[in-house]
């Protein structure tokens, strides 16, 4: 009987540590993303207020199309979905 460890079997402790560390990193990234989304919502609200105060519309559809295109070009089809969600969050109340 050999006492040499089987090198084909991953060390469960190492795997759990890697996963735990990666999840902590994801949680930190998600926190930053949420902070940025809230910041984006505030900036968008300022733009909308200024546009409305000057007699314009709350939403600029051509600008939204630019944003959708940028996200689609960068992330593919899921980028469009992400951009639509961001735009919806940032439009505020009608």
């Amino acid at each position: 009987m050999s006492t040499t460890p089987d090198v084909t079997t991953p060390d469960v402790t190492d795997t759990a540590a890697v996963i735990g560390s990666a999840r902590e990193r994801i949680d930190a990234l998600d926190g930053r993303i949420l902070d940025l989304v809230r910041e984006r919502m505030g900036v968008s609200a300022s733009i909308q207020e200024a546009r409305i105060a000057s007699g314009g519309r709350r939403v600029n559809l051509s600008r939204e199309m630019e944003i959708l295109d940028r996200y689609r070009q960068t992330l593919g089809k899921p980028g469009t979905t992400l951009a639509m969600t961001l735009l919806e969050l940032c439009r505020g109340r009608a």
Side-chain angles (χ1 to χ4, degrees), residues 40-56:
R40 189 188 195 289
M41 291 170 70
V43 171
S44 182
S46 297
I47 292 169
Q48 290 173 38
E49 289 170 11
R51 195 180 302 120
I52 290 168
S54 69

Side-chain angles (χ1 to χ4, degrees), residues 14-30:
D14 289 343
T15 301
V18 168
I19 291 170
S21 177
R23 285 181 175 165
E24 286 177 13
R25 182 74 178 129
I26 286 173
D27 289 345
L29 290 167
D30 284 345

Side-chain angles (χ1 to χ4, degrees), residues 61-77 79-81 83-84 87:
L61 296 178
S62 63
R63 173 67 177 149
E64 288 193 357
M65 293 306 294
E66 291 172 15
I67 293 165
L68 288 168
D69 189 51
R70 181 175 352 136
Y71 275 74
R72 182 192 51 75
Q73 286 182 21
T74 304
L75 301 173
K77 186 177 177 182
T80 303
T81 303
M84 286 296 297
L87 291 170

Side-chain angles (χ1 to χ4, degrees), residues 2-23:
S2 172
T3 59
T4 306
D6 182 359
V7 293
T8 61
T9 304
D11 184 347
V12 176
T13 306
D14 289 343
T15 301
V18 168
I19 291 170
S21 177
R23 285 181 175 165

